């Protein structure tokens, strides 16, 4: 039906057909003011958010405090500075064909001297700074003099490898790699480079000044990893956002065949991303690792899909002859509620991540909720406003000439076939869903610390070198406590620690365990625990108290853990824990347990499965309730579950067949994709409800809905897939997993909405309303 401008009664249409969203057209100046206000607020967030919101005070929580520890009698301990053995700010890996040569030894000493002269370096810990094991507490140089013979250097190498404080901990087993640990003096740090590249460059320059050495350097540790990840994320944020926007624009121009329409649609989610990232600075959530690549692409795609549905309707109205204001008002009336409902359900899906156990997942969920809300505001304000300006006068240009518009009519045989065979499709879909849910339940959780690192960067190479040469960068420990019935000088303490050492050394995946028993074993003399227990008092106090606190009745054994995926350490930790409990059973006054971050992650590994079940379950239940209330039909709410869960089950099945694990990024991807997948279902159901009011023929209502929204569903799916494809180019494993799962879920969601949803609606039609 056409609406010639000369005959169309704009006011009459406004009075008879406009809902709450449509009335936005009549308050253009207020809408423009709201856009400017939010933009200004977000801009201040980029510049300096403390101008409006004071910085929050940092609070620290001591997770180590337990009721048992709190109830223990506190005893005074000597004021001794405990030797630091792990947890340094920065770690330099020094490699050489042979470290124990005159030139390598001289170069290494020169490197350490140069580093200690840097103002930003507080202390340097390396082989020559290893705590001494002799009874006099005197330091012994690891390397002999430069004029020493080759045999002297070979003897020094053997002695260093036999020292438990050096061999394995500071020197690799082949004596070709060593660690130079650095602590930073933050008072002299002016920028990130001062505590990263400046230190490595100083080491390289110092090594180049000594002739004949072949030292090379890699840098890792807490500070370099954190700063590198932050810098890489901010760089990726700009790069992949530009790639995603350009790729999406190209795809949309091909599909829409109208540059103006694509430009207007793209401006809204682009502004939504700008608002989101600016507002995140007020909440100090901008450093979440998922916020720099995944979040901008995700928010822009969510906004673009709503914008496509709105623009398709505006173009159809303009092509029918309606003037700009009336066409925009009617489009808002027709799809505004559906877009609002999709944003609500998407926010519910994202918000369910806040129930997860991991802080990163919780923060990402809240960031997504904020992004969905402000992007929806951008879509329902920017697109209508621009369509009523001179820019939108030719917005209908290219309508009906787009690739999907021209070819979608040929696909109507699909819906006819589904309607004729609706029982087969509906029952087959439900049975297939049940099978895939069962297969998806075979996914096993895992967690890997290097997943957020670039696969081609120095950081990952350095971590792999740490795994290979030193048993890993991360450390864990075994904590041993004994009651007052055992004296601190009792030989039983050393005997227990020897048994603990043996349990750890039996596991090849645990790197270089060290304890008070290891140190005593390295000291001169022979005999059993009863004979050697007195040697503990001969150890230098800083070293002894790093592993042994007699006043508190505690001791500790430390070991390294590789970054192989914490699931691979499950059987290892289980075997070790079983042996520790056997030792504790043999010594009833002792309590022995595994501790450390790696052990905590293993003990809470199953929490990933709980998080996924809780997030998805909560989101599905809330979405079911919302749809049942909005459509006033429990039947519709139940029907919507099948096409929304189907893509998640299909993706989970493919992950199982691909041999992948269930990781933290998978939890985020599953829940986020549920929020996106439900959008297509809502648009189809909204149109179906409207068509059921117009006809008693349920099949005809489904056909009309299929034709009316099918074009927009296909366009949004293609655009969403195009956006996720850009994230595949990231060299970060987490981003690649997220993008792959997004592509699988979105494409299978389109299949479910165009095949299973019509079949279920035909099989369970309900009554006309």
């Amino acid at each position: 039906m056409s609406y010639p401008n000369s005959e169309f009664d704009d006011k009459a249409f406004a009075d008879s057909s406009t809902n709450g969203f449509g009335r936005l057209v009549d308050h253009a100046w207020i809408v423009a003011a709201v856009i400017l206000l939010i933009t200004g607020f977000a801009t201040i967030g980029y510049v300096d958010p403390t101008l409006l919101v004071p910085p929050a005070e940092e609070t620290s929580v001591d997770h180590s405090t337990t009721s048992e520890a709190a109830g223990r009698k506190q005893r005074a301990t000597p004021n001794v500075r405990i030797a630091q053995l792990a947890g340094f700010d920065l770690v330099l890996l020094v490699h050489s064909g042979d470290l124990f040569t005159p030139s390598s030894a001289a170069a290494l000493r020169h490197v350490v001297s140069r580093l200690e002269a840097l103002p930003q370096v507080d202390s340097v810990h390396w082989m020559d700074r290893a705590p001494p094991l002799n009874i006099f507490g005197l330091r012994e140089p690891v390397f002999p003099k430069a004029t020493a013979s080759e045999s002297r250097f070979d003897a020094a190498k053997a002695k260093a490898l036999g020292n438990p404080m050096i061999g394995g901990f500071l020197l690799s087993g082949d004596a070709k790699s060593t660690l130079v640990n650095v602590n930073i003096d933050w008072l002299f740090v002016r920028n990130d480079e001062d505590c990263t590249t400046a230190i490595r460059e100083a080491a390289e320059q110092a090594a180049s000044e000594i002739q004949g050495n072949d030292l090379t350097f890699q840098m890792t540790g807490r500070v370099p990893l954190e700063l590198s990840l932050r810098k890489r994320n901010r760089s990726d944020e700009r790069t992949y956002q530009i790639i995603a926007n350009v790729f999406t624009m190209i795809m949309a121009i091909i599909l829409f065949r109208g540059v103006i329409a694509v430009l207007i649609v793209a401006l809204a989610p682009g502004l939504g991303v700008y608002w989101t990232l600016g507002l995140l600075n007020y909440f100090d959530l901008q450093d979440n690792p998922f916020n720099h690549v995944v979040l901008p692409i995700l928010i822009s795609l969510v906004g673009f899909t709503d914008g496509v549905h709105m623009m398709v309707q505006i173009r159809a109205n303009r092509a029918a002859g309606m003037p700009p204001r009336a066409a925009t008002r009617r489009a808002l009336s027709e799809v505004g509620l559906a877009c609002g409902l999709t944003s609500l359900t998407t926010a519910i899906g994202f918000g369910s991540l806040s129930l997860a156990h991991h802080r990163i997942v919780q923060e990402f969920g809240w960031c997504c909720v904020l992004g969905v809300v402000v992007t929806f505001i951008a879509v329902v304000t920017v697109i209508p406003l621009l369509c009523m300006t001179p820019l939108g006068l030719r917005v209908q240009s290219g309508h009906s000439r787009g690739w999907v518009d021209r070819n979608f009519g040929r696909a109507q045989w699909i819906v006819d076939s589904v309607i004729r065979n609706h029982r087969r499709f509906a029952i087959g879909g439900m049975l297939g869903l049940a099978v895939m849910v069962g297969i998806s339940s075979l996914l096993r959780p895992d967690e890997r610390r290097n997943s957020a690192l670039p696969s081609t960067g120095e950081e990952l190479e350095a971590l792999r070198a740490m795994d290979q040469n030193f048993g890993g960068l991360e450390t864990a420990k075994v904590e041993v406590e004994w009651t007052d019935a055992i004296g601190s000088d009792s030989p039983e303490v050393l005997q227990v620690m020897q048994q603990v050492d043996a349990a750890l050394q039996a596991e090849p995946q645990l790197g270089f365990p060290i304890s008070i028993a290891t140190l005593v074993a390295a000291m001169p003399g022979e005999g059993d625990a009863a004979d050697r227990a007195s040697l503990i008092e001969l150890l230098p106090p800083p070293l002894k108290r790093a592993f042994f606190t007699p006043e508190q009745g505690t001791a500790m054994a430390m070991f390294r853990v590789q970054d192989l995926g914490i699931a691979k350490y499950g059987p290892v930790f289980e075997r070790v824990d079983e042996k520790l409990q056997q030792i504790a059973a043999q010594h009833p006054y002792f309590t022995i347990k595994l501790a450390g971050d790696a052990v905590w992650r293993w003990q809470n590994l199953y929490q990933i499965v709980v998080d996924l079940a809780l997030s998805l379950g909560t989101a599905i239940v809330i979405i079911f309730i919302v749809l049942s209330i909005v459509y006033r039909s429990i039947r519709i709410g139940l029907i919507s579950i099948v096409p929304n869960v189907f893509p998640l089950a299909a993706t989970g099945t493919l992950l199982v067949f691909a041999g992948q694990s269930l990781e933290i990024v998978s939890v985020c991807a599953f829940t986020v994709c549920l929020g996106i997948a439900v959008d297509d279902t809502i648009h189809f159901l909204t149109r179906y409800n409207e068509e059921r009011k117009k006809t008693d023929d349920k099949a005809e209502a489904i056909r009309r809905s299929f034709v009316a929204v099918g074009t927009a569903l296909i366009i949004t799916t293609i655009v969403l897939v195009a956006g996720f494809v850009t994230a595949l180019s990231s060299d970060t494993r987490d981003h690649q997993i997220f993008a792959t799962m997004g592509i699988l879920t979105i494409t299978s969601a389109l299949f479910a909405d165009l095949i299973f949803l019509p079949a279920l609606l035909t099989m369970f039609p309900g009554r006309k309303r």
Side-chain angles (χ1 to χ4, degrees):
M1 179 178 181
S2 62
Y3 300 91
N5 291 346
S6 59
E7 299 178 3
F8 188 83
D9 189 344
D10 194 357
K11 184 177 184 304
F13 176 80
D15 293 338
S16 62
S17 183
T18 302
N19 63 15
F21 287 100
R23 293 191 181 94
L24 291 173
V25 174
D26 301 320
H27 305 283
W29 289 108
I30 297 178
V31 170
V34 170
I35 294 173
L36 292 175
L37 181 64
I38 300 177
T39 303
F41 195 64
T43 302
I44 295 175
Y46 284 104
V47 177
D48 185 4
T50 59
L51 294 175
L52 297 179
V53 178
E57 295 183 1
E58 295 185 1
T59 58
S60 59
V61 180
D62 184 6
H63 295 283
S64 63
T65 302
T66 62
S67 57
E68 179 183 355
R72 295 191 59 176
K73 181 174 65 175
Q74 297 298 315
R75 306 168 188 170
T77 58
N79 185 17
V80 176
R81 184 176 182 178
I82 298 176
Q84 184 179 3
L85 303 174
F88 296 92
D89 294 331
L90 181 147
V91 178
L92 274 180
L93 281 80
V94 186
H95 306 288
S96 172
D98 188 356
L99 288 171
F100 285 82
T101 62
S103 58
S104 295
L108 192 53
R109 285 196 175 104
H110 190 51
V111 166
V112 172
S113 298
R114 181 66 56 83
L115 294 181
E116 290 177 329
L118 295 176
Q120 67 267 35
V121 172
D122 179 65
S123 62
V124 177
H125 179 74
W126 68 299
M127 290 189 291
D128 262 1
R129 299 289 191 276
L133 285 176
N134 60 74
I135 61 177
F136 303 105
L138 300 176
R139 293 188 183 275
E140 298 178 2
V142 173
F143 297 110
K145 295 181 179 180
T147 57
S149 63
E150 182 178 346
S151 60
R152 288 284 303 277
F153 273 96
D154 290 339
K157 179 194 301 185
K159 185 176 181 180
L161 291 173
N163 187 330
M165 300 304 302
I166 298 177
F169 249 76
L170 295 174
L171 181 66
S172 62
D174 58 5
K176 294 182 179 181
S177 301
T178 186
L179 301 182
V180 177
N181 301 309
V182 179
N183 280 324
I184 305 297
D185 189 341
W186 297 102
L187 292 177
F188 295 93
V189 174
R190 298 164 299 177
N191 50 53
D192 292 348
E193 287 70 24
D194 282 347
C195 50
T196 52
T197 55
I199 293 177
R200 185 181 59 186
E201 290 173 356
E204 292 172 342
Q205 176 63 31
S208 67
E209 296 171 1
I210 304 299
Q211 298 294 327
N213 75 89
D214 60 347
L215 299 187
T216 58
F217 300 88
Q218 288 180 304
M219 186 169 56
T220 186
R222 177 180 57 84
V223 172
L225 290 177
E226 181 178 340
L227 294 179
S228 176
L229 185 61
R230 186 180 303 178
K231 182 179 179 180
R232 190 62 172 261
N233 283 338
R234 296 193 182 280
S235 174
D236 287 350
E237 176 184 335
R238 297 187 295 268
T239 302
Y240 293 107
Q241 191 172 347
I242 292 173
I243 294 175
N245 290 338
V246 172
F247 193 21
T248 303
M249 288 281 287
I250 294 174
M251 293 296 300
I253 290 173
I254 295 174
L255 297 172
F256 268 130
R257 287 294 184 93
V259 177
I260 298 300
V262 173
L263 180 62
I264 293 176
V265 171
L267 284 174
L271 187 61
V273 171
Y274 179 82
W275 287 352
T276 301
L277 298 180
L279 295 177
L280 287 180
N281 292 317
Y282 289 103
F283 302 98
D284 197 26
L285 297 175
Q286 67 275 12
D287 290 330
N288 189 288
F290 293 118
N291 285 355
H292 300 278
V293 175
V294 174
L295 183 63
I297 295 176
L298 189 63
I299 296 303
S300 61
L301 293 179
V302 169
F304 199 91
T305 55
D306 280 343
V308 166
H309 283 281
M310 188 173 298
M311 182 55 68
V312 166
Q313 207 62 39
I314 292 175
R315 280 159 56 93
N317 294 339
R318 293 285 288 120
M322 297 177 66
R325 181 179 293 272
T328 305
R329 182 187 292 113
R330 180 167 183 172
L332 276 171
S333 300
E334 291 171 332
V335 301
L337 178 61
C339 290
L341 189 56
T342 59
S343 295
L344 174 61
T345 54
T346 301
I348 290 172
F350 294 167
S352 66
L353 291 174
S354 63
L355 302 175
H357 188 71
H358 294 78
R359 180 183 58 83
I360 291 177
V361 178
Q362 295 175 355
E363 291 181 352
F364 179 64
W366 288 120
C367 294
C368 289
V369 171
L370 175 65
V372 168
V373 172
V374 300
T375 303
F376 172 70
I377 295 174
V379 168
V380 297
T381 56
V382 173
I383 292 179
L385 190 65
L386 292 178
C387 285
M388 294 186 297
T389 64
L391 181 65
L393 292 178
R394 299 291 299 169
V395 75
Q396 74 276 16
S397 176
H399 179 69
S400 77
R401 292 190 293 111
W403 181 82
V404 178
D405 298 291
R406 287 186 289 107
N407 294 280
F408 187 71
R410 303 176 186 176
Q412 291 194 36
W413 63 269
I414 297 176
V415 71
D416 292 332
S417 177
V418 169
I419 292 173
R420 287 195 306 269
N421 303 280
H422 61 272
R423 287 187 177 275
R424 294 180 182 177
F425 282 105
I427 295 175
M430 289 186 287
L431 290 178
L433 175 61
V435 171
M436 289 190 294
V437 167
I439 296 175
S440 299
S441 65
L442 299 177
L443 280 171
R444 292 295 176 260
D446 197 6
E447 185 179 357
R448 187 173 299 181
R449 304 299 292 269
N450 62 21
S451 294
L453 296 176
S455 58
T456 57
E458 177 192 356
E459 301 85 1
L460 189 58
E461 293 179 3
L463 281 181
R464 288 171 177 169
M466 286 292 301
D467 287 347
Q468 181 179 358
N469 298 321
F470 297 95
L473 176 64
E474 187 176 10
T475 60
K477 59 185 176 179
V478 175
E479 294 179 345
V480 179
E481 298 182 7
W482 55 89
T483 66
D484 292 338
I486 301 295
S488 59
D489 57 349
S490 171
E492 189 175 1
V493 174
L494 188 59
Q495 182 182 358
V496 169
M497 296 310 300
Q498 288 175 342
Q499 294 175 339
V500 170
D501 273 1
L504 297 176
Q505 291 168 356
E507 299 294 339
Q509 286 182 305
L510 303 182
F512 304 104
I514 183 172
S515 71
I516 195 70
T518 312
L519 303 180
V520 170
M523 298 183 71
E526 297 179 355
D528 56 15
D531 297 328
R532 299 179 63 82
S534 59
L535 295 178
I536 295 177
E537 297 303 320
L538 300 179
L539 289 170
L543 178 58
K544 179 181 71 174
R545 293 189 173 276
F547 299 97
F548 180 63
T549 311
E551 294 82 8
Q552 300 297 328
T554 62
M556 179 265 289
M558 183 170 61
F559 56 92
R560 292 188 184 272
V561 177
Q562 302 179 51
D563 196 8
L564 305 175
I566 200 63
K568 292 186 177 180
Y569 275 97
V572 176
F573 288 154
E574 288 176 357
R575 289 194 298 267
V576 171
D577 189 60
E578 182 179 355
K579 293 178 181 178
L580 296 181
Q581 299 314 310
Q582 292 175 358
I583 296 171
Q586 297 170 4
H587 303 274
Y589 297 106
F590 286 78
T591 302
I592 310 174
K593 62 180 179 180
L594 284 166
D597 186 59
V599 176
W600 181 89
R601 288 188 289 118
W602 163 65
Q603 293 171 339
N604 291 272
L605 184 60
Y606 191 72
Q607 188 65 42
I608 295 178
V609 179
V610 175
D611 287 348
L612 178 62
L614 187 60
S615 299
L616 285 183
T618 303
I620 291 172
V621 169
I622 296 178
I623 290 173
F624 161 74
I625 294 173
V626 170
L627 296 184
S628 298
I629 294 174
V630 171
Y631 296 122
R632 292 179 291 174
S633 171
I634 295 179
R635 174 184 60 87
I636 291 292
L638 292 173
I639 287 175
S640 68
I641 292 177
V642 176
N644 290 328
V645 176
F646 177 85
L648 305 180
T651 302
T653 300
L654 291 175
L655 289 179
V656 172
F657 288 142
Q660 297 296 317
S661 303
L662 182 64
E663 304 179 35
I664 293 177
V665 65
S666 308
V667 175
C668 295
F670 271 123
T671 310
V672 165
C673 290
L674 171 64
I676 297 177
V678 75
D679 293 359
D680 290 349
T681 305
I682 289 174
H683 282 287
F684 195 104
L685 290 175
T686 300
R687 190 61 182 227
Y688 173 74
N689 267 8
E690 292 297 322
E691 297 298 337
R692 282 290 281 156
K693 297 175 183 178
K694 302 175 184 177
T695 177
D696 290 326
D697 188 347
K698 62 182 180 182
E700 181 61 24
I702 292 175
R703 290 190 187 94
R704 292 179 183 178
S705 303
F706 186 88
V707 173
V709 302
T711 300
L713 293 184
I714 292 177
I715 291 176
T716 55
T717 299
I718 293 175
V719 171
L720 282 169
V721 170
F724 278 117
V725 165
T726 61
L728 283 177
S729 60
S730 172
D731 59 355
T732 300
R733 182 173 175 271
D734 278 352
H735 298 160
Q736 294 172 353
I737 293 176
F738 196 100
T740 302
M741 294 182 63
I743 293 171
L744 294 174
T745 304
I746 298 305
T747 52
S748 55
L750 177 67
F751 175 82
D753 285 319
L754 294 183
I755 302 298
F756 295 142
L757 185 56
L760 290 168
L761 291 173
T762 306
M763 190 171 179
F764 306 102
R767 59 184 178 86
K768 179 185 175 183
R769 296 167 58 192

